[in-house]
Amino acid sequence: MPGTTEPHVVFDVAQPERFGRGGVPLRFVVLLLFFIPGSINWLASLVYLPITTAVLVREKGAEQFMAEDAKRVTDLLRWIIGIYSYFAFLTDHLSFDDPHESVRFRVSPAGAPTVGSALARIPKSLPSVIAFAVVGLGALGVWFAANASILA
C-alpha cells in the first residue's frame, strides 16, 4: 500500500537466555531422519502452496479466500516457521498448541489475489530459493557449532 510504513510480514523469536542440553540429541535425530525429506518437502511447498492458493482463489473468489483461508495459510506458515525456529536454535521451546509463545509471525494480507498472481509466486521465488540454499549450507556448519557449544 502506498504511503504505509507498516511491514506486511513480521517475524521475531523470543530467544532463551540459555539452551537446554536435552534438546541437542533430539535435534540430531531430526537432522538425520528428516533433513533430506524435509528439504524435499520444503522445495515441494514452494510449488504446492501457490497451487493450492490458486485453486482456492479460483473456486471461492479473492474476497472469500481472504476472509476464510488467508488466516489458515498464515497459521500453517506459523507452524512451519516454529518448527524451523526450534531446529535452528532460535528458540528452545516447540509448541504446536500455541506457536505464539516463542515465535511471533504476523502477516497482514493485502490486495486481491488472482490465480495468475498465486502461480506467479513459483518462478518469482526461484532466486530466493537459490540464495536460501547457499546460505543454508553455510548455516548447517553453524548449526553443528551451536550443538557443540551447547554440549560443552
Side-chain angles (χ1 to χ4, degrees), residues 60-147:
K60 296 181 175 187
E63 292 170 3
Q64 191 174 358
F65 171 80
M66 293 295 280
E68 295 176 0
D69 297 313
K71 183 181 179 331
R72 290 181 194 157
V73 172
T74 301
D75 289 343
L76 172 65
L77 291 173
R78 182 179 294 109
W79 192 73
I80 292 169
I81 287 172
I83 291 170
Y84 277 107
S85 297
Y86 175 77
F87 181 70
F89 288 105
L90 296 177
T91 183
D92 206 21
H93 180 72
L94 180 62
S95 174
F96 294 115
D97 297 327
D98 188 12
H100 299 286
E101 291 177 13
S102 56
V103 176
R104 186 175 71 131
F105 177 72
R106 187 180 74 231
V107 176
S108 303
T114 64
V115 172
S117 68
L119 294 177
R121 297 286 179 195
I122 297 169
K124 286 181 179 179
S125 66
L126 290 178
S128 298
V129 169
I130 293 167
F132 185 75
V134 170
V135 171
L137 289 175
L140 189 58
V142 173
W143 185 85
F144 281 113
N147 276 296

Side-chain angles (χ1 to χ4, degrees), residues 44-57 114-115 117-122 125:
S45 71
L46 295 174
V47 176
Y48 68 72
L49 284 174
I51 290 173
T52 302
T53 300
V55 169
L56 290 171
V57 168
T114 64
V115 172
S117 68
L119 294 177
R121 297 286 179 195
I122 297 169
S125 66

